[in-house]
Amino acid sequence: MSEPQTRRTFRILSLDGGGAKGFYSLGALKEIEALAGCRLSEKFDLIYGTSTGSIIAALLALGHSVDEIEALYRKHVVTVMKQWLPSKRTAALEKLATDVFQQKKFGAFETNVGIVGTRWAEERPMIFKTSVEQAFLGKASFEPGHGCTIADAVVGSCSAYPFFKKKFVVTGRGERVEVRDGGFVANNPALYAIVDATQALGVAKENIRLITIGVGEYPPPKVPAWSIRKWLSKLPTVVFLQKTMEISSQSMEQLRKVTFPDVATLRIHARYTQPDMATDMLEVNLKKLSLLWQRGRDSARDNEIELKKFLF
């Protein structure tokens, strides 16, 4: 008989959104996986992710190693982000999601998952969950992932308009729902994950060990005046979107500290001011992305003693 959740350590992994800056998260996860000595789907009871964090969360929960996910990111992130038309960028993301996740649904996950999206027309969160035990209401009609494929849920969570086109998913009941980037409601999904654990799954707060990983904070990039990226980065809607995501991450972190100060939490999210670290969520320079990955590893190593306490 398995040990009751109220008595054993319950580990949560939460991954922020941030586009290409997810390389920082992968660097941190590389060190965490090495410390754990196993696939992270075996170590964490619940994995939450928003936007780029949802891609990583889904792949981890399917049993992929961090090295496998990093290889996918190195191969495909530039292909997706270098498209300057939202329609082409969306098509590249859709193709990647279909190639990677195929038609798999939430029953394929090896641990519980939460993928955060925004139900746009209703102005509320839409969280794709694995288990009926994670449901607060509507348990009788619960469908894992709302009946959607993993690919559709992930693309919805990543659909940061106007970078990407609007995403519509069809639920198991045949409802057509407009889903946009989860960063509009919780770019840092750690608070949602804690509520899942304590309120839905019934885990005692003192038994939770939460590791929450951001994407780092960086100076804005300097790009040539003739660059399409320069033009794009100056659009008011684009500037507003990036600022909104950053504010969302910080506000959710502050709210978590106030509402759950007694939940053991380790936040990995460093701030950089050096000019050579200038970047944003649309980064396509692999050398710069490799630098973010290295900084993520450094950040995890700086917290190695605490990480060991959380993992064992």
Side-chain angles (χ1 to χ4, degrees), residues 27 96 162 305:
L96 172 60
I305 294 174

Short mmCIF file of all heavy atoms in Angstrom, two decimals, residues 27 96 162 305:
data_model
loop_
_atom_site.label_atom_id
_atom_site.label_comp_id
_atom_site.label_asym_id
_atom_site.label_seq_id
_atom_site.Cartn_x
_atom_site.Cartn_y
_atom_site.Cartn_z
N GLY A 27 19.01 24.67 -18.13
CA GLY A 27 20.31 24.59 -17.47
C GLY A 27 20.17 24.22 -16.01
O GLY A 27 20.90 23.37 -15.48
N LEU A 96 5.90 21.51 -34.59
CA LEU A 96 6.79 20.96 -33.57
C LEU A 96 6.01 20.18 -32.53
O LEU A 96 6.39 19.06 -32.16
CB LEU A 96 7.57 22.10 -32.91
CG LEU A 96 8.41 21.72 -31.69
CD1 LEU A 96 9.46 20.69 -32.06
CD2 LEU A 96 9.07 22.97 -31.11
N PRO A 162 0.50 39.08 -29.48
CA PRO A 162 0.50 38.90 -30.94
C PRO A 162 1.72 38.16 -31.49
O PRO A 162 1.90 38.15 -32.71
CB PRO A 162 0.49 40.34 -31.42
CG PRO A 162 1.35 41.05 -30.42
CD PRO A 162 1.04 40.40 -29.10
N ILE A 305 23.18 22.88 -2.03
CA ILE A 305 22.93 22.35 -0.68
C ILE A 305 21.44 22.29 -0.40
O ILE A 305 20.92 21.28 0.10
CB ILE A 305 23.67 23.21 0.38
CG1 ILE A 305 25.18 23.06 0.20
CG2 ILE A 305 23.25 22.78 1.78
CD1 ILE A 305 26.00 23.98 1.10
#
